[in-house]
């Protein structure tokens, strides 16, 4: 039996391949349909052999879907490791996809996924430390490239300081104009803020710290508002394009960190 996949199907499948997989509620959000409609669409994807027929719940909530290894390789044009959702990675994988949809929607050209970055680096040789990889990078409508990190749990300050340094250095080498940390909860923001205090951004990407859940909620509210108040303009693209009400910049002695 043959199946005809529409451009929307292929776009959704490509995003899933780039982002590893997703729970069904986020799939419905990505497709712009009800969750019942999303189940019918993904049933077609399963019958076409594009996503696994395994329905897993790594954490409480909707089941997850993920492309088969062969379809992910066909969609991405490179070899990939077999992936299934695990409890350890589920929350982070979901959060990064939600952030991607909030920042760039389903535009395939504006987001550079972690899986694609990993493929460009290749496998780490024995004895070598794994290089840092951003959770994503995205282009603003103006064409500026931003690196993105999503932090859901607090690291030790020492570990966070090293991670922030590596992320900032990589952002500079990738010619990003900025590095945005999207954090959940105040303890996480406090650790990242402390870790970034000694970064010298005078000749490199500036750093911004954004409350992840507040940002996602604001983007959702903006999309659901059919008639913004007169005199206000909704600016797409997220914190890289305008000042988030929860984010202010502070610059002292050539060192900058958003609060």
């Amino acid at each position: 039996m043959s199946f005809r996949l529409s451009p929307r199907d292929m776009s959704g499948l490509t995003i899933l391949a780039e982002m590893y997989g997703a729970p069904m509620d986020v799939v419905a959000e990505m497709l712009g349909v009800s969750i019942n409609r999303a189940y019918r669409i993904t049933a077609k994807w399963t019958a076409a052999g594009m996503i696994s027929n395994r329905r897993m719940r790594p954490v409480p909530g909707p089941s997850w879907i993920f492309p088969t290894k062969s379809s992910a390789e066909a969609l991405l044009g490179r070899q990939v490791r077999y992936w299934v959702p695990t409890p350890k990675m589920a929350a982070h994988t979901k959060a990064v996809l939600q952030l991607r949809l909030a920042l760039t929607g389903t535009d395939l050209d504006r987001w550079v996924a972690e899986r694609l970055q990993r493929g460009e680096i290749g496998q780490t040789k024995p004895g070598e430390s794994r290089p840092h990889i951003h959770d994503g990078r995205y282009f603003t409508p103006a064409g500026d490239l931003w690196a993105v990190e999503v932090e859901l749990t607090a690291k030790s300050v020492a570990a966070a300081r090293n991670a922030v340094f590596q992320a900032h250095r990589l952002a500079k080498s990738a010619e990003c104009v900025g590095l945005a940390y999207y954090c959940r909860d105040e303890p996480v923001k406090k650790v990242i803020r402390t870790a970034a205090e000694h970064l010298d951004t005078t000749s490199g990407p500036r750093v911004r710290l954004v409350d992840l859940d507040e940002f996602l909620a604001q983007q959702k509210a903006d999309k659901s508002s059919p008639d913004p108040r007169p005199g206000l303009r909704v600016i797409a693209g997220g914190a890289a394009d305008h000042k988030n009400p929860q984010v202010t910049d502070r610059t002292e002695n050539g060192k900058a960190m958003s609060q």
Side-chain angles (χ1 to χ4, degrees):
M1 181 182 296
S2 61
F3 295 88
R4 177 175 295 179
L5 297 177
S6 69
R8 182 179 68 171
D9 290 324
M10 297 307 298
S11 177
L13 286 165
T14 300
I15 291 173
L16 285 176
E18 290 181 352
M19 308 302 290
Y20 297 100
M24 285 302 300
D25 57 339
V26 181
V27 175
E29 176 187 347
M30 175 180 68
L31 297 175
V33 299
S34 69
I35 194 165
N36 288 335
R37 175 60 178 158
Y39 273 110
R40 291 195 293 272
I41 292 171
T42 55
K44 180 178 68 173
W45 294 352
T46 304
M50 299 300 291
I51 62 173
S52 173
N53 58 10
R54 299 176 64 183
R55 293 295 177 266
M56 304 179 66
R57 285 185 171 84
V59 293
S63 60
W64 281 61
I65 63 169
F66 50 97
T68 62
K69 184 176 185 294
S70 60
S71 68
E73 290 179 339
L75 289 162
L76 302 181
R78 66 185 67 188
Q79 291 186 330
V80 300
R81 291 183 178 181
Y82 177 66
W83 185 91
V84 296
T86 63
K88 182 179 180 180
M89 293 301 297
H92 188 265
T93 301
K94 176 181 178 180
V96 175
L97 176 53
Q98 288 179 304
L99 179 60
R100 172 180 179 164
L101 295 175
L103 289 170
T104 64
T106 55
D107 190 330
L108 297 176
D109 295 325
R110 290 181 55 205
W111 184 270
V112 184
E114 179 265 354
R115 197 174 203 178
L116 297 181
Q117 297 174 59
R118 189 177 299 278
E120 293 173 356
I121 293 173
Q123 294 186 349
T124 304
K125 296 179 180 179
E128 292 184 353
S129 58
R130 190 179 71 176
H132 187 89
I133 300 174
H134 294 135
D135 289 329
R137 298 180 192 140
Y138 79 98
F139 291 93
T140 70
D144 293 331
L145 180 62
W146 277 74
V148 167
E149 297 287 354
V150 174
E151 298 290 340
L152 304 182
T153 57
K155 298 181 175 74
S156 69
V157 173
R161 184 174 289 119
N162 179 63
V164 170
F165 174 78
Q166 296 295 337
H168 189 259
R169 184 172 67 175
L170 178 59
K172 184 176 181 179
S173 68
E175 299 183 343
C176 299
V177 302
L179 168 64
Y181 271 88
Y182 290 83
C183 302
R184 175 164 290 161
D185 299 330
E186 187 56 37
V188 182
K189 290 188 285 185
K190 182 178 180 180
V191 168
I192 298 299
R193 188 180 294 118
T194 301
E197 284 179 348
H198 301 291
L199 284 178
D200 184 353
T201 60
T202 55
S203 61
R206 56 189 182 274
V207 180
R208 282 181 176 165
L209 182 62
V210 185
D211 186 290
L212 173 66
D213 294 319
E214 289 183 5
F215 176 74
L216 293 177
Q218 183 60 54
Q219 292 297 302
K220 186 175 182 180
D222 290 345
K223 289 180 181 179
S224 64
S225 177
D227 185 21
R229 286 178 294 167
L232 297 182
R233 180 168 59 93
V234 176
I235 305 175
D241 302 308
H242 61 290
K243 292 289 185 182
N244 185 292
Q246 302 300 321
V247 180
T248 57
D249 292 340
R250 175 171 55 86
T251 304
E252 297 179 25
N253 301 323
K255 299 170 183 177
M257 180 63 193
S258 299
Q259 301 266 8

